[in-house]
Amino acid sequence: SGLSALALAATTVTDVGPQPLVLLTTGSFVTVYALGTAAALRLLPRGSLSHRCALVALAAVAVLLVMTGWYLLWPLLVAAGALCYLRWRGATDPLRS
């Protein structure tokens, strides 16, 4: 709740408006969808109906990624920050920590 209050105060002071906030959230969700569909392509048996559906879903998500534009920088910065934190902490395998 503290971070939410800080974010609300920052957007109020800077008079950002709702559109950039919605697009930043959309960029985060689309990034998660892209990673999920890419993982499905790797894990599902090739040639199966589920694999083909995952391919169609990945194509649709790719269109959303293009439409999101520079608002994808936020999830990329968050991911880079998380990776830097893991490296700084010395965790070589994030699943074991």
Side-chain angles (χ1 to χ4, degrees), residues 15-69:
D15 195 29
V16 170
Q19 184 178 1
L21 298 176
V22 170
L23 288 172
L24 285 170
T25 304
T26 302
S28 298
F29 286 138
V30 169
T31 303
V32 171
Y33 297 153
L35 292 172
T37 54
L41 282 176
R42 294 236 347 153
L43 295 173
L44 294 171
R46 293 193 190 281
S48 66
L49 177 63
S50 56
H51 188 268
R52 289 189 296 249
C53 288
L55 186 60
V56 170
L58 183 60
V61 169
V63 171
L64 287 174
L65 284 170
V66 170
M67 292 173 61
T68 304

